């Protein structure tokens, strides 16, 4: 029996591209280190791949020792895999399943990582190894358990293994089969593997997006941190590109850091593929961001789709050609037409005549082989024969529009004629409505399209008829949900319709109507949010978030300050409950112009700006709240409901650690009537237990739960129920845990994520204190992920305090002190058992070591702090699993 070691330099191709001279020197040293380690441990190198090696050993322990020795010396990031078993020696090479397994085990790892197949792990002392669980490897039919070597001098924290079935990212696999392009796909895959930025160019509708998604499907397993798509069609502003990319990548945009810098920080050290789709209309913004990513990291690959290249250094431009056209039904264009025609017309084959293949080929040729044009034409086979289609297309081609550029003419003309042909079939009212619909970023419902089309004077049922007609003609897509009907335009059609809106001279009128409509809706939905029907408002702000962003952006860019202020202030208040904190930046942007305009809604703007407390702006919250309170005294002003400004001021004080001010404001509000009383009473109950005043909390807990239930707003009901559970935690943990679990179900039913995540944290803390450490670790990890994505820094402070207590109880004082340090910059932590735990940690570690750990944690930026805490939780979870 032999043990085989395979090695490979991670990212070697890109390193050769970026620094060939440096890579040449590093590779020479690499080869020497690898060979010395193999031979000094009794091994035989039987293969050299240029960027790696393969060796055989008689002893599994010697093979592992050789790998460790090499890793401790190597400068390049080398991944290593080992497997044991019988093999055949032939023609200077080893052959057999053990050899193949070693190669596949190596391919699953990351630079500086040593992985063992179960066949090798069984032959060595695994006391210093980490069990990574059972995995399925490519081309290996039987799943195997993989083990990672964990010894001094080697890192232990790595991304997820590159194994079959592990997926990361937000990209949804294509729902239709890619027709044709096999040779091009293979060549493009190789190009993307060897280039950091590849831009697919060509006319709209040629199939750039579809091809880029197919490439991502093929190589998805090669990106440990996932494949991600950013739909840039959702914005018309280059300035909004970083925010949109951050949103798509689940990157936390911190209050004091730009979206671009937040993205770059998040991507550091990650291996991922990003698809930037539809770049042409926001090219300046994409150019700046893509270039910044390219310069800051070599491990992130980007594929862009655009009608023109980005024009930045290091870009590889890949023109996407039209589909090949031939009479043969297997030709790419004809095959696509037939497949898509069958999809919309199940009887298509039965009416296909003997000469129709030639007619279909003629149609595809007239459409220059553009995929979208062919699909649109095929969709018409519901009501037209290929012969009728060919006649109409020929007629329309006589009316081709001219392009200022001869090169562009062939690209734009065909797509525009295809969409324009459908557009020309509409009557005047339908054309105007389609143009009006182009202002929606993500979709729309009947009421919103009525608002942007109000100047046309159509009635409700006329609009319904027009929408039905446009849907039937494949110009609108309809999404039928349980309680609403929502329409949207395919992006290419939306862009075409947007140009028609410009032709009508109605762009400003329609976009103003769009922004004003969503300003009014956001204010109306805030009134709904404050009542028993709160879930409707939460669902609405989530669905319409892209429209609110677009409306705010247009209003701000065009000096419509009041409209922008109304959208920003109400959206910030509506959406914090679902942990969407992006609108805080909108409010921050509009405060100064709104103040200059002296708007009546200025108190609302300042109150909404207080939500910055959750993103770490504690003092800002206090300052804005005080301005809002001062403005509210003027009867001409239009503030939020009584109590909100004071409440947010109290929130700011609470995270600054001024609990006297917190309790003073809550007690003052408790003496008022209505909402203010509910806010104050809930504020008191939510904090008393956390600062050791359990008797007071328990004394008022039942009455506050009753009051909030009678008041009827789910947010405050959830707050009171969560606070009841916390109040009883130390005296009756069983009842407390039951109450918290019931409250968690309630928050999920009503989508009150802000409180739901807090409740999950409370459950974890309670389970950890009473022996359920494995369950607590799992829940803490979930909460960490939610706060990292949302950027809720303030709530993370108490979470990290609870995790500090848990690691202290686990006998991990250095980890506990470091985690505590990460909480310090985020705000005051109200974790019931934290103060005595800090004293205990200082005593166990000594002042000097305790301060070192705390300072190390405090120095971590928020995202890094979250990542560190997540890693130590994962290690603890693995240890629990290993211990059974």
């Amino acid at each position: 029996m032999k043990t085989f070691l395979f090695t490979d330099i991670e990212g070697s191709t890109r390193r050769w591209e970026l620094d060939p001279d440096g890579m040449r020197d590093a590779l020479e040293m690499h080869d020497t280190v690898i060979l010395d380690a193999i031979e000094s441990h009794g091994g035989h190198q039987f293969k050299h791949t240029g960027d790696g090696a393969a060796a055989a050993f008689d002893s599994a322990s010697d093979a592992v020792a050789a790998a460790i020795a090499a890793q401790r010396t190597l400068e390049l990031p080398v991944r290593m895999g080992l497997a044991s078993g019988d093999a055949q020696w032939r023609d200077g090479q080893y052959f057999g399943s053990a050899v193949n397994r070693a190669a596949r085990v190596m391919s699953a790892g990351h630079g500086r990582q040593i992985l063992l197949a179960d066949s090798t792990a069984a032959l060595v002392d695994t006391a210093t190894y980490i069990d990574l669980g059972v995995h399925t490897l490519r081309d290996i039919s039987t799943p195997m358990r993989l083990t990672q070597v964990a010894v001094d001098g080697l890192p232990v924290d790595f991304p997820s293994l590159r194994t079959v079935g592990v997926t990361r990212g937000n990209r949804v696999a294509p729902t239709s089969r890619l027709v044709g392009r096999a040779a091009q796909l293979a060549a493009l895959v190789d190009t993307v593997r060897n280039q950091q930025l590849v831009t697919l160019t060509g006319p709209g509708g040629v199939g750039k997006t579809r091809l880029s998604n197919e490439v991502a499907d093929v190589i998805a397993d090669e990106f440990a941190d996932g494949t991600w798509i950013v739909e840039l069609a959702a914005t018309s502003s280059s300035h909004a590109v970083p925010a949109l990319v951050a949103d798509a990548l689940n990157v936390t945009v911190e209050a004091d850091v730009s979206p671009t810098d937040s993205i770059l920080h998040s991507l550091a050290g990650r291996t991922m593929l990003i698809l930037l789709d539809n770049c042409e209309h926001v090219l300046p913004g994409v150019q700046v961001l893509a270039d910044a990513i390219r310069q800051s990291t070599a491990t992130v690959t980007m594929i862009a789709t655009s009608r023109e290249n980005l024009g930045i250094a290091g870009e590889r431009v890949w023109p996407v050609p039209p589909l090949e056209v031939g009479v043969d039904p297997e030709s790419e264009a004809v095959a696509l037409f037939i497949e898509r025609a069958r999809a919309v017309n199940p009887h298509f084959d039965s009416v296909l005549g003997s000469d129709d293949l030639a007619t279909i080929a003629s149609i595809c040729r007239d459409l220059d082989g553009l995929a979208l044009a062919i699909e649109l034409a095929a969709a018409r086979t519901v009501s037209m024969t290929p012969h009728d289609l060919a006649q109409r297309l020929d007629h329309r081609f006589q009316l081709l529009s001219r392009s200022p550029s001869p090169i562009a003419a062939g690209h734009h003309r065909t797509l525009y004629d295809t969409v324009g042909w459908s557009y020309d079939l509409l009557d005047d009212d339908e054309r105007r409505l389609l143009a009006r619909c182009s202002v929606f970023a993500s979709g729309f419902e009947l009421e919103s399209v009525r608002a942007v089309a109000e100047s046309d004077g159509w009635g409700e049922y006329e609009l319904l008829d027009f929408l039905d007609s446009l849907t039937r003609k494949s110009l609108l897509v309809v999404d039928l949900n349980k309680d609403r009907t929502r329409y949207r335009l395919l992006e290419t059609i939306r862009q075409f319709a947007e140009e028609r809106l410009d032709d009508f001279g109605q762009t400003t009128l329609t976009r103003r109507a769009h922004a004003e409509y969503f300003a009014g809706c956001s204010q109306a939905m805030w009134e709904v949010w404050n009542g028993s029907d709160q879930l409707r408002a939460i669902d609405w702000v989530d669905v319409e978030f892209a429209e609110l962003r677009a409306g705010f952006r247009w209003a701000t860019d065009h000096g419509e300050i009041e409209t922008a202020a109304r959208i920003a202030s109400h959206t910030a208040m509506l959406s914090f409950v679902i942990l969407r904190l992006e609108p805080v930046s909108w409010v921050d942007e509009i405060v100064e112009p709104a103040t200059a305009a002296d708007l009546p809604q200025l108190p609302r703007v300042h109150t909404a700006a207080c939500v910055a407390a959750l993103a770490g702006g504690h003092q800002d919250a206090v300052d804005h709240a005080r301005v809002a309170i001062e403005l509210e005294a003027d009867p001409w002003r239009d503030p939020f409901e009584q109590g909100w400004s004071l409440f947010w001021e109290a929130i700011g004080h609470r995270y600054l650690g001024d609990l006297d001010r917190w309790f003073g404001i809550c007690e003052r509000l408790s003496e008022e009537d209505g909402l203010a009383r509910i806010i104050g009473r809930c504020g008191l109950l939510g904090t008393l237990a956390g600062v050791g005043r359990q008797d007071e909390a328990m004394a008022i807990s039942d009455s506050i739960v009753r009051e909030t239930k009678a008041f009827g707003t789910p947010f405050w009901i959830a707050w009171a129920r969560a606070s009841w559970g916390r109040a009883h935690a130390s005296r009756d943990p069983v009842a407390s845990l039951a109450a918290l679990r019931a409250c968690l179900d309630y928050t999920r039913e009503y989508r009150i994520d802000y409180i739901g995540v807090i409740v999950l944290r409370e459950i974890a803390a309670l389970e950890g204190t009473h022996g359920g450490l494995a369950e607590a670790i799992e829940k803490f990890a979930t909460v960490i992920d939610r706060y990292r994505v949302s950027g809720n820094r303030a709530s993370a402070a108490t979470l990290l305090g609870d995790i500090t207590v848990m690691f202290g109880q686990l006998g991990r004082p250095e980890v506990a002190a470091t985690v505590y340090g990460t909480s310090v910059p985020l705000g005051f932590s109200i974790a019931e058992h934290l103060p005595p735990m800090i004293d205990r940690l200082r005593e166990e570690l000594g002042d000097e070591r305790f301060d070192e750990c705390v300072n190390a944690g405090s120095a971590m930026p928020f995202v890094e702090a979250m990542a560190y805490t997540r890693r130590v939780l994962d290690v603890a979870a693995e240890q629990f699993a290993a211990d059974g």
Side-chain angles (χ1 to χ4, degrees):
M1 175 183 288
K2 296 283 186 181
T3 295
F4 297 95
L5 165 66
F6 275 69
T7 75
D8 179 64
I9 302 172
E10 188 175 57
S12 60
T13 301
R14 186 161 296 146
R15 292 175 187 275
W16 278 112
E17 291 290 331
L18 295 175
D19 185 13
D21 292 336
M23 184 60 180
R24 191 175 296 109
D25 295 338
L27 185 61
E28 184 177 346
M29 181 178 293
H30 159 274
D31 292 346
T32 300
V33 170
I34 291 289
L35 185 59
D36 286 348
I38 292 171
E39 292 182 347
S40 65
H41 289 84
H44 165 59
Q45 180 175 314
F46 63 89
K47 181 187 292 186
H48 183 270
T49 62
D51 294 331
F57 296 78
D58 292 326
S59 163
S61 297
D62 287 343
V64 174
I68 293 172
Q71 286 286 30
R72 283 173 169 165
T73 308
L74 287 166
E75 295 182 358
L76 289 171
V78 176
R79 50 187 178 172
M80 300 182 178
L82 296 93
S84 303
D86 296 326
Q88 295 181 342
W89 175 260
R90 186 173 68 250
D91 299 327
Q93 298 286 334
Y94 281 101
F95 298 90
S97 61
V99 180
N100 298 333
R101 286 171 179 261
R104 289 307 184 195
V105 170
M106 178 270 292
S107 297
H110 303 275
R112 310 191 191 284
Q113 188 174 31
I114 304 173
L115 297 178
L116 310 183
D118 45 14
S119 56
T120 301
L123 301 175
V124 297
D125 179 7
T126 58
T128 56
Y129 302 157
I130 298 174
D131 184 354
L132 300 181
V134 176
H135 293 264
T136 299
L137 304 181
R138 181 178 293 181
D139 300 328
I140 304 296
S141 58
T142 305
M144 72 173 71
R145 182 173 296 278
L146 298 181
T147 303
Q148 175 185 309
V149 175
V151 296
D152 291 343
L154 299 186
V156 295
D157 293 329
F158 294 94
S160 301
L161 296 181
R162 298 179 173 106
T163 54
V164 176
V166 177
T167 58
R168 299 286 188 273
N170 70 336
R171 193 183 57 84
V172 178
T175 57
S176 60
R177 182 176 69 93
L178 179 70
V179 178
R181 302 196 187 279
Q184 188 181 48
L185 176 63
L188 182 55
V189 165
D190 286 341
T191 300
V192 172
R193 280 176 170 148
N194 293 289
Q195 300 289 330
Q196 187 173 9
L197 171 62
V198 179
T199 302
L200 277 57
T201 62
V206 76
K208 303 184 292 295
T209 298
R210 183 65 183 83
L211 184 58
S212 68
N213 268 280
E214 196 71 19
V215 172
D217 263 5
V218 173
I219 60 178
D221 289 343
E222 300 174 22
F223 295 89
D225 296 302
T227 61
W228 303 77
I229 187 166
V230 182
E231 303 281 4
L232 294 170
T235 183
S236 60
S237 170
S238 286
H239 298 296
V241 168
L244 204 62
V245 172
D247 197 29
L249 300 184
N250 289 335
V251 170
T252 300
V253 178
E254 303 180 40
D256 54 346
V257 180
S258 71
T260 296
D261 288 340
S262 296
I263 292 168
L264 298 182
H265 181 81
S266 174
L267 296 182
R270 302 180 70 185
T271 303
M272 61 195 300
L273 174 65
I274 302 174
L275 275 58
L276 300 167
D277 196 33
N278 290 311
C279 299
E280 56 273 357
H281 61 303
V282 287
L283 205 58
V286 178
Q287 288 171 332
V288 172
L289 182 60
D291 194 44
I293 292 173
R294 185 190 62 80
Q295 293 189 53
S296 69
T297 175
T299 60
V300 173
T301 298
M302 293 173 283
I303 302 177
T305 68
S306 178
R307 295 187 184 184
E308 60 181 301
N309 61 297
L310 304 187
I312 61 177
E315 177 187 26
R316 172 65 183 272
V317 180
W318 186 281
V320 178
L323 295 170
E324 172 265 331
V325 181
V327 177
D328 189 309
E330 297 302 316
S331 77
E332 293 178 340
V334 173
L336 177 63
F337 185 99
I338 293 174
E339 180 161 307
R340 299 300 187 256
R342 287 170 176 162
V344 299
N345 183 359
H347 307 293
F348 180 73
D349 286 343
S350 64
V351 298
L352 201 61
S354 58
D355 62 344
D356 279 337
L357 281 180
T359 303
I360 292 171
S362 174
I363 292 170
C364 295
R365 191 174 298 110
D366 286 343
L367 296 175
D368 286 347
L370 293 173
L372 177 59
I374 292 168
E375 295 195 54
L376 288 171
R380 289 294 174 187
T381 60
V382 172
S383 57
M384 301 176 71
T385 67
H387 180 73
D388 291 332
L389 281 169
Q391 284 188 321
R392 188 171 294 275
L393 286 173
D394 286 343
H395 175 70
R396 290 305 170 190
F397 277 22
Q398 296 173 13
L399 303 175
L400 290 177
S401 60
R402 295 184 181 272
S403 170
S405 165
I407 296 176
H411 288 257
H412 286 74
R413 187 169 57 191
T414 303
L415 179 63
Y416 272 27
D417 275 345
T418 302
V419 181
W421 160 67
S422 294
Y423 180 80
D424 288 345
L425 293 177
L426 305 177
D427 62 33
D428 289 341
D429 285 337
E430 290 171 335
R431 291 176 190 171
R432 289 207 310 277
L433 179 59
L434 188 68
R436 301 278 194 204
C437 292
S438 69
V439 301
F440 292 101
S442 62
F444 55 90
E445 298 174 14
L446 177 62
E447 288 305 313
S448 51
V449 78
R450 283 183 70 183
V452 302
E454 184 177 7
S455 62
D456 292 300
W458 295 315
E460 177 180 349
Y461 290 99
E462 284 180 289
L463 272 175
L464 283 171
D465 287 342
F466 296 153
L467 293 171
D468 180 73
S469 178
L470 292 172
T471 301
R472 291 177 181 275
K473 293 171 182 175
S474 301
L475 291 168
L476 282 183
V477 178
V478 60
D479 298 320
L480 299 173
N481 296 320
K482 180 178 64 175
D483 55 354
R484 63 167 63 94
T485 300
R486 192 167 179 84
Y487 304 89
R488 56 186 172 89
L489 279 72
L490 298 177
E491 175 57 22
T492 302
I493 295 172
R494 193 202 65 77
Q495 292 180 12
F496 179 91
E498 189 174 33
E499 292 189 9
R500 304 288 79 74
L501 189 62
D502 288 338
D503 293 343
F504 291 143
Q506 298 293 303
T507 300
T508 298
L509 175 68
T510 308
R511 289 205 172 275
R512 177 179 291 116
H514 173 274
E516 290 179 348
Y517 172 75
F518 282 100
C521 283
S522 63
Q523 185 163 350
M525 281 298 171
W526 173 248
E527 303 300 327
V528 174
W529 192 98
N530 265 321
S532 59
D533 200 16
Q534 187 178 74
L535 180 59
R536 179 162 64 91
I538 293 173
D539 286 341
W540 179 86
V541 75
D542 194 24
V543 169
E544 301 291 6
F545 198 83
E547 303 304 327
L548 291 160
R549 178 195 283 136
F552 169 78
R553 189 77 270 147
W554 183 89
T556 303
D557 291 346
H558 291 79
E560 305 278 355
I561 303 304
E562 181 175 348
T563 299
R566 292 168 67 200
I567 292 175
S569 57
H570 293 103
T571 306
M573 294 287 280
L574 283 165
S575 60
F576 85 87
V577 72
I578 53 174
L579 292 178
R580 275 186 178 266
L581 301 184
E582 178 189 332
V584 174
S585 66
W586 306 354
V587 181
D588 183 62
E589 182 178 350
I590 206 66
V591 165
E592 186 174 336
T595 301
D598 197 25
L599 299 179
Q601 300 88 1
L602 199 53
R604 295 191 182 222
V605 174
H606 281 284
T607 302
C610 297
V611 182
L614 300 183
H618 313 319
Q619 186 59 54
D620 290 341
V622 172
D623 295 341
H624 281 294
R626 288 174 174 170
V627 173
I629 292 165
E630 182 179 346
L631 291 169
E632 288 170 7
D634 185 345
W636 177 73
R637 302 290 186 179
D638 180 20
F640 281 117
E641 293 79 2
Q642 183 183 8
W644 275 112
S645 298
L646 269 173
F647 173 70
W648 281 108
E649 180 187 350
I651 289 283
H653 287 303
R654 176 249 183 271
Y655 288 116
L656 287 169
D658 189 349
L659 295 185
D660 288 340
R661 289 290 297 146
W662 162 268
F663 282 118
I665 292 174
C666 289
E667 288 167 358
R668 173 180 166 186
L669 288 170
S670 297
E671 296 172 359
E672 303 289 340
D673 295 324
L675 175 63
R677 174 179 172 81
I678 293 295
I679 292 174
R681 297 266 282 163
C682 284
L684 286 174
L685 180 59
T687 310
L688 284 171
V691 296
R693 296 164 63 179
Q694 288 89 353
D695 290 341
E696 294 175 66
M698 292 176 66
I700 62 174
S701 60
D702 290 340
S703 64
I704 292 178
V705 169
R706 287 194 299 270
E707 286 182 45
T708 55
K709 186 175 181 180
F711 191 75
T713 303
F715 178 81
W716 297 112
I717 293 173
W719 184 305
R721 293 177 64 174
S723 301
W724 192 100
R726 187 174 200 177
H728 291 74
S730 60
R731 305 294 172 83
D732 192 348
V734 174
S736 172
L737 193 58
L740 289 170
R741 287 171 175 165
C743 184
L744 183 62
D745 291 340
Y746 183 85
T747 62
R748 289 169 175 169
E749 179 183 357
Y750 287 93
R751 300 193 63 190
I752 309 170
D753 296 346
Y754 172 76
I755 295 176
V757 179
I758 291 174
V759 171
L760 191 61
R761 182 197 75 206
E762 295 286 351
I763 293 173
L766 195 57
E767 289 176 339
T769 303
H770 292 83
L773 286 170
E775 295 81 1
I777 290 169
E778 181 181 359
K779 291 180 176 66
F780 277 142
T782 300
V783 179
I784 282 282
D785 291 342
R786 292 301 305 275
Y787 285 161
R788 177 188 60 79
V789 170
S790 67
N792 186 353
R793 299 158 64 101
S795 298
T798 296
L799 164 68
L800 294 168
D802 286 330
I803 295 175
T804 297
V805 172
M806 183 190 72
F807 276 113
Q809 293 170 339
L810 286 174
R812 301 283 302 278
E814 291 189 344
V815 171
T818 305
V819 171
Y820 170 67
T822 67
S823 75
V824 172
L826 305 182
F828 185 72
S829 176
I830 301 182
E832 182 179 355
H833 302 287
L834 182 60
M837 179 55 70
I838 293 173
D839 294 339
R840 173 178 159 185
L841 293 174
R842 185 177 290 278
E843 181 179 348
E844 290 182 10
L845 295 172
D847 289 344
E848 183 177 354
R849 183 56 183 154
F850 176 81
D851 290 340
E852 287 177 357
C853 293
V854 172
N855 291 337
S858 299
M860 295 182 191
F862 175 68
V863 174
E864 183 180 333
M866 295 292 98
Y868 168 80
T869 308
R870 187 66 159 85
R871 286 196 303 272
V872 295
L873 286 171
D874 288 343
V875 171
E878 291 168 358
Q879 291 174 343
F880 269 103
D883 294 342

